[in-house]
Amino acid sequence: MNIKQKLREIIKNSLGIEVELTETKDPKLGDYSTNVAFTSQIKSVCGIKNNSPIKVAEDVVSRLKLPSEFIDCIEVGGAGFINFWLNKKFLYEAFTNILEEGEKFGSSNIGNNKRVLVEFVSTNPTGPLVVVNGRAAAIGDSLVRILKFTGYQAESEYYVDNCGKQVKLLEESIRARYRELEGEKAEIPEGGYPGEYLKEIAKEIKKSNLQNFREYGLNSIIQSQKDTLEKFGVSFDNWFYESDIRKSGGPEKVIDSIKKKELAYKKDGALWLKMPGDKDKVLIKSDGEFAYLVPDIAYHLNKFSRNYDLLIDLFGPDHISHIDELKTGLSACGSQVDKLKVIIVQWVTLVREGKKIGMSKRKGEFVTLDEVINDVGKDVTRFFFLMRKCESHLDFNIELAKRESKENPVFYIQYAGARIASILKRASSLDGINTIQISVQDLSLLKTPEELLLIRKILHFPEIIEHASLEFSPHYIPFYLLSLANFFHNFYEKHRVILDDDIPLTRARIELIKAVRQVIKIALSLMGISAPEKM
RNA sequence: GCCCUCGUAGCUCAAACGGAUAGAGCACCGGAUUUCUAAUCCGGGGGUUGAGGGUUCGAGUCCCUCCGAGGGUACCA
């Protein structure tokens, strides 16, 4: 249970109702505050009739009975907010618990052991991964790490669309490149893939004298996607192939179910899905092939059949309308659509030399994720993607990312960790520093504003993680880390950790910076970013 | 045309069920260091949150209209 939950519960016991608590922005306003005096429920539940929020707040404060070993002081501030100051001794006690929790600090069981499957990237196996795939990869991967840390059984999955029209176009495009190597004149088919990478694949095919263009091309591209992801620090628990869902007869079953529900009709030689409104969607094309939607419904039915409590899909904005179609199809097949949560990861617009770069695999113009990782590094790339909330449009300026790489927020955070590592290394040779268990009394030597700010900041960490998990939003973590690193650097400028003439304070400060380092390590690992000892 | 997402400082982005004075980084200006890592710290300027209306004790956040950007728009995935 984190501190906020604890305070909320104590207030509930005292007042009889649930109140909302927020972390205050300004330390002058205490540690937490509540707006309960503004709410209507307070008047009915407590029988307070006074109309002035300030008077209501004062009344509430007089009713509150909070243990003094936990809460130091309660005040009414502003227009009627009630502010709480935590008892310092309690802070120190909570802090000793952190030291004991170690790497588990911040973890929780809010997921209640629920099984979650997070599907992301899932790009067509027709070319290399591009920048926006990197955004989805970073967010999806981090989300899985956060969910695991907060008590979910989370798995990641990549859906490979290795069937359908785009694969045929890929095969034809490779064949065209192959004929070019034979000295013939060949054109990439309309809607095909003119990118340079297919030339390489055609060369390899020619060199090993292979005939299976399609299979070789797919395998080669999928492998290169896996290589890129590995370089990016992203690994998937499952790779699921569309061909498997087709082999199992899934799409046919979907069609049957939809027909039984009388949600399908024929028109223009195609089979259509009846949608609410007039946005009907093709299920079987007039050439007899399944449209993409059908195997995708079958795939999601397969996911449901694997007994997950929650399915999370990360989609690009081009799939927004697909969500309704998918859900309509799924409910026609009798599955629990409310267990499916879709998160939209917006496009990344690449800016190079002040110009926006078009991103189209079909036009052959794109910047690969590989290039970006090589240019600016894995850690910086991941951080850039993770510090934005996923639904925001994002401009990624390559020159800026490279230029800033020396004064980058990532390095700012990593540097704080490295500085601590350096101090700890130096301290390790001192006597009587690391051997004895630290106590609350020892920690109470930490009383400068900088130290108390750090302690409070660290104690907030579990709440940040919980928030990120509940909202499925990793981006709260980098912002928290920036603030924590700022507090640490500030502390570092003002105070020395190792004081030759004050061993007790040295010990206390070492425990403090160890905790800072621990939190940095945990948070960075949740983002899939390294925490170097030296920089 | 219709539908979805977005619009916050010069630039890139935050802001917890609607809460107190809308915050960071970059850029710009000024200052700090014989110190455990200067990839650091402190200070400053910079805002009618695209525009207008509404809801209420209170709106960047919710509702309506308009403007702008991106995406989708029926047999690509």
Side-chain angles (χ1 to χ4, degrees):
Chain A
M1 188 187 294
N2 61 46
I3 296 173
K4 194 176 177 178
Q5 286 167 333
K6 186 170 175 176
L7 179 57
R8 194 184 290 133
E9 198 165 290
I10 292 175
I11 294 172
K12 191 184 169 188
N13 290 340
S14 171
L15 213 56
I17 55 168
E18 290 270 357
V19 300
E20 214 178 291
L21 283 175
T22 32
E23 177 189 337
T24 55
K25 291 176 196 165
D26 188 344
K28 284 175 202 157
L29 302 174
D31 291 294
Y32 293 94
S33 75
T34 178
N35 61 356
V36 70
F38 296 104
T39 61
S40 51
Q41 59 170 148
I42 190 70
K43 290 172 190 171
S44 52
V45 173
C46 301
I48 297 171
K49 284 177 189 165
N50 210 317
N51 284 326
S52 151
I54 294 179
K55 291 207 170 134
V56 173
E58 281 165 356
D59 196 291
V60 169
V61 169
S62 72
R63 285 161 188 259
L64 276 173
K65 287 186 188 110
L66 303 181
S68 62
E69 66 272 16
F70 182 48
I71 291 296
D72 228 10
C73 160
I74 311 170
E75 272 179 17
V76 175
F81 292 92
I82 301 171
N83 301 326
F84 301 87
W85 277 259
L86 296 171
N87 182 307
K88 275 197 193 119
K89 192 164 171 244
F90 170 79
L91 288 179
Y92 296 128
E93 269 168 16
F95 202 79
T96 54
N97 292 336
I98 294 174
L99 300 171
E100 281 165 25
E101 281 186 75
E103 287 174 3
K104 287 186 181 160
F105 175 59
S107 66
S108 63
N109 193 30
I110 55 173
N112 214 1
N113 241 5
K114 279 192 210 153
R115 296 187 68 226
V116 189
L117 186 68
V118 187
E119 184 212 325
F120 53 103
V121 185
S122 299
T123 194
N124 282 337
T126 53
L129 294 179
V130 295
V131 180
V132 68
N133 299 136
R135 186 177 190 184
I139 293 172
D141 182 64
S142 182
L143 190 56
V144 170
R145 291 168 194 251
I146 293 166
L147 291 174
K148 282 181 180 167
F149 198 59
T150 48
Y152 289 89
Q153 291 186 54
E155 287 172 44
S156 56
E157 185 155 299
Y158 191 118
Y159 179 60
V160 185
D161 283 314
N162 62 340
C163 306
K165 198 172 180 181
Q166 85 281 3
V167 177
K168 280 181 194 155
L169 286 165
L170 175 74
E171 183 178 352
E172 286 168 31
S173 304
I174 297 174
R175 209 173 280 281
R177 290 299 189 199
Y178 185 85
R179 282 204 291 271
E180 277 177 3
L181 292 175
E182 304 270 88
E184 293 172 39
K185 209 179 169 191
E187 277 188 16
I188 302 291
E190 200 184 326
Y193 302 93
E196 293 288 311
Y197 58 95
L198 291 186
K199 287 185 182 170
E200 292 304 312
I201 288 174
K203 268 186 210 165
E204 288 160 22
I205 289 175
K206 189 172 159 60
K207 207 163 107 189
S208 18
N209 203 16
L210 297 165
Q211 290 307 311
N212 49 349
F213 286 74
R214 179 192 169 118
E215 200 188 325
Y216 186 86
L218 282 175
N219 287 341
S220 163
I221 288 172
I222 292 168
Q223 189 54 50
S224 76
Q225 292 181 345
K226 285 186 180 176
D227 292 345
T228 303
L229 287 167
E230 194 187 332
K231 206 197 289 184
F232 202 42
V234 176
S235 67
F236 283 87
D237 296 310
N238 314 318
W239 287 75
F240 197 103
Y241 289 81
E242 183 183 345
S243 50
D244 288 338
I245 208 75
R246 292 209 182 214
K247 271 181 219 156
S248 73
E252 285 81 1
K253 287 177 200 156
V254 167
I255 297 290
D256 282 349
S257 303
I258 293 176
K259 277 182 178 167
K260 267 184 201 153
K261 296 264 174 177
E262 296 180 349
L263 285 168
Y265 64 92
K266 279 195 171 175
K267 194 181 97 184
D268 303 333
L271 189 72
W272 295 71
L273 170 66
K274 182 111 192 64
M275 292 279 295
D278 52 354
K279 311 173 285 180
D280 295 353
K281 195 74 194 167
V282 167
L283 294 165
I284 300 178
K285 298 187 265 185
S286 51
D287 63 3
E289 296 279 338
F290 291 116
Y292 155 73
L293 177 62
V294 179
D296 204 37
I297 295 171
Y299 167 53
H300 280 81
L301 288 174
N302 175 286
K303 289 203 260 186
F304 277 117
S305 75
R306 285 184 266 156
N307 284 322
Y308 291 104
D309 300 299
L310 178 65
L311 299 180
I312 299 178
D313 284 0
L314 268 59
F315 281 1
D318 52 339
H319 277 60
I320 290 175
S321 59
H322 183 66
I323 301 169
D324 277 346
E325 297 153 10
L326 185 60
K327 288 192 170 176
T328 304
L330 282 170
S331 55
C333 296
S335 67
Q336 291 170 275
V337 179
D338 56 322
K339 285 186 179 174
L340 173 66
K341 176 172 175 61
V342 179
I343 296 172
I344 297 297
V345 178
Q346 267 294 350
W347 291 144
V348 177
T349 309
L350 257 141
V351 182
R352 184 176 263 167
E353 286 161 14
K355 282 184 184 173
K356 294 194 172 178
I357 307 172
M359 294 289 270
S360 166
K361 263 184 232 178
R362 302 208 166 175
K363 286 181 193 157
E365 53 178 24
F366 52 83
V367 176
T368 66
L369 178 57
D370 254 338
E371 285 175 65
V372 176
I373 299 173
N374 290 340
D375 264 4
V376 300
K378 179 200 85 165
D379 286 347
V380 175
T381 310
R382 286 188 77 127
F383 196 89
F384 254 89
F385 287 147
L386 288 173
M387 72 185 297
R388 271 77 184 187
K389 62 179 178 211
C390 28
E391 66 267 29
S392 72
H393 295 254
L394 162 58
D395 283 3
F396 194 96
N397 186 322
I398 296 189
E399 283 87 14
L400 202 67
K402 275 199 265 184
R403 182 151 49 85
E404 281 176 17
S405 66
K406 276 218 155 179
E407 289 169 27
N408 208 285
V410 194
F411 297 139
Y412 182 79
I413 293 160
Q414 288 176 327
Y415 185 57
R419 270 182 152 177
I420 293 171
S422 172
I423 300 170
L424 293 178
K425 197 179 166 193
R426 174 178 280 246
S428 64
S429 58
L430 299 174
D431 287 336
I433 297 291
N434 294 304
T435 47
I436 317 160
Q437 183 82 22
I438 201 88
S439 68
V440 171
Q441 207 180 353
D442 299 326
L443 286 174
S444 65
L445 297 170
L446 302 171
K447 49 195 168 196
T448 67
E450 291 77 21
E451 289 160 329
L452 289 170
L453 267 178
L454 268 178
I455 289 174
R456 287 192 162 95
K457 194 77 194 173
I458 290 167
L459 289 171
H460 276 311
F461 180 63
E463 293 161 25
I464 300 296
I465 298 298
E466 180 183 313
H467 188 213
S469 175
L470 290 173
E471 305 269 318
F472 306 111
S473 299
H475 79 275
Y476 295 109
I477 297 177
F479 282 94
Y480 168 82
L481 272 179
L482 283 172
S483 173
L484 176 67
N486 175 243
F487 285 3
F488 169 74
H489 287 306
N490 195 359
F491 159 80
Y492 181 94
E493 292 292 326
K494 292 204 174 108
H495 308 285
R496 278 191 66 88
V497 172
I498 298 171
L499 302 159
D500 296 331
D501 56 348
D502 193 344
I503 295 298
L505 183 56
T506 301
R507 288 182 60 223
R509 284 189 174 163
I510 282 181
E511 293 307 317
L512 175 65
I513 64 169
K514 269 188 185 167
V516 174
R517 173 143 176 82
Q518 187 68 266
V519 171
I520 290 176
K521 263 186 166 169
I522 294 168
L524 285 179
S525 83
L526 289 174
M527 298 169 73
I529 293 173
S530 64
E533 299 273 317
K534 259 189 191 175
M535 286 177 75

